[in-house]
Amino acid sequence: MWLIKDGTGMVGRILFAWCNGTKLDADSKKWRFFADLLNDCALSLELCAPYAVAAVGGSNGTMTSILCVAGVAKSIVGVAGGATRAALTQHQARQGNLADVSAKDGSQETLVNLAALITSLWLLPILDGATGLTWLIFILFTLLHVFTNLKAVKAVTMETLNRARYMIILKQFASTKYVASMKEVNPIMGLIPSFRLRRMCAVTEYNSDAQSRLLRPEVLLKSNWLIILNGILL
């Protein structure tokens, strides 16, 4: 069972990096939040596994399947979380002090883990044998984890354009003729990655009526196309 679990996790790690590796830099905030959410889902799935097995009559196949799904999820978390951490650390190294920022980030994480360890030592005697209270505490801490990660990711102000930030600026310009700054765009950007396949369209000249209609802002906002005009991605 554990060999299958580890094997599926390795395959999931490779496939995720192959399919989404090029998106992790441009959408580092989205994939960082996605990794946190997926990690919470994987932990919840592992905790629910005994109940699922008992519900179907104690099948070993059910336990193996659940653990394999959780293993794949954690493998994806490892890829997305590690890659986006590197991207965000590079963004925060304002003076080229990447090693210094990385070391302090590791120290901050260690401090949080130490606080969690002390909290768990305090809670274990209270939660001993209290299954309902244990689940309540787990749900509360999970929601707190999601909320704090959401606020932390939204607080990061990226200074370069990606497709999501570009589309927000384009939408505001189409409706108000005002070009929003990166500081204004970052807090309202969505944090759920898109898994849609986008089609490509190359436009070499901007002279026909059909091309004019295609490149209007309201059309671009509603379409699922990536349009290239004279070598420039729209």
Side-chain angles (χ1 to χ4, degrees):
M1 178 175 67
W2 297 108
L3 290 176
I4 298 176
K5 174 181 176 295
D6 292 341
T8 53
M10 293 175 186
V11 173
R13 178 187 294 265
I14 294 171
L15 290 177
F16 178 79
W18 176 58
C19 295
N20 297 289
T22 56
K23 303 176 184 178
L24 299 178
D25 278 310
D27 293 317
S28 55
K29 292 174 63 174
K30 289 185 177 182
W31 287 106
R32 181 66 202 182
F33 186 64
F34 170 79
D36 292 324
L37 280 180
L38 190 60
N39 185 56
D40 290 338
C41 291
L43 292 175
S44 302
L45 191 60
E46 288 180 339
L47 290 176
C48 292
Y51 299 98
V53 172
V56 298
S59 173
N60 288 331
T62 303
M63 175 64 78
T64 302
S65 301
I66 294 175
L67 291 180
C68 286
V69 173
V72 171
K74 286 188 174 182
S75 297
I76 294 174
V77 169
V79 176
T84 53
R85 167 174 288 186
L88 292 174
T89 301
Q90 185 178 20
H91 165 74
Q92 293 169 341
R94 314 298 293 178
Q95 301 176 352
N97 54 340
L98 184 62
D100 181 33
V101 174
S102 180
K104 291 177 178 176
D105 178 62
S107 299
Q108 181 181 4
E109 183 177 0
T110 302
L111 179 62
V112 172
N113 290 333
L114 179 61
L117 176 63
I118 296 174
T119 304
S120 64
L121 291 175
W122 173 67
L123 286 176
L124 279 175
I126 301 174
L127 300 178
D128 187 21
T131 304
L133 183 58
T134 301
W135 276 104
L136 177 61
I137 294 296
F138 172 75
I139 293 172
L140 290 177
F141 275 106
T142 301
L143 293 176
L144 178 63
H145 176 252
V146 172
F147 174 75
T148 53
N149 275 282
L150 177 63
K151 299 296 287 186
V153 171
K154 279 188 171 291
V156 177
T157 302
M158 306 300 289
E159 298 176 344
T160 56
L161 282 175
N162 61 2
R163 189 178 190 276
R165 290 188 283 273
Y166 170 73
M167 296 306 286
I168 293 174
I169 292 176
L170 183 61
K171 182 177 180 180
Q172 291 189 353
F173 178 77
S175 59
T176 65
K177 303 302 180 183
Y178 169 72
V179 179
S181 66
M182 297 301 295
K183 188 175 182 180
E184 296 170 326
V185 168
N186 273 271
I188 61 177
M189 188 184 76
L191 293 178
I192 303 299
S194 174
F195 295 93
R196 296 180 299 174
L197 294 177
R198 296 190 176 95
R199 296 159 286 182
M200 299 295 294
C201 174
V203 180
T204 56
E205 296 182 0
Y206 187 58
N207 52 14
S208 69
D209 293 337
Q211 291 168 357
S212 299
R213 289 193 300 270
L214 179 65
L215 296 177
R216 285 184 302 175
E218 58 269 24
V219 176
L220 286 173
L221 292 171
K222 296 179 181 179
S223 67
N224 195 30
W225 288 80
L226 290 181
I227 300 177
I228 299 176
L229 175 62
N230 294 328
I232 301 175
L233 177 64
L234 299 181

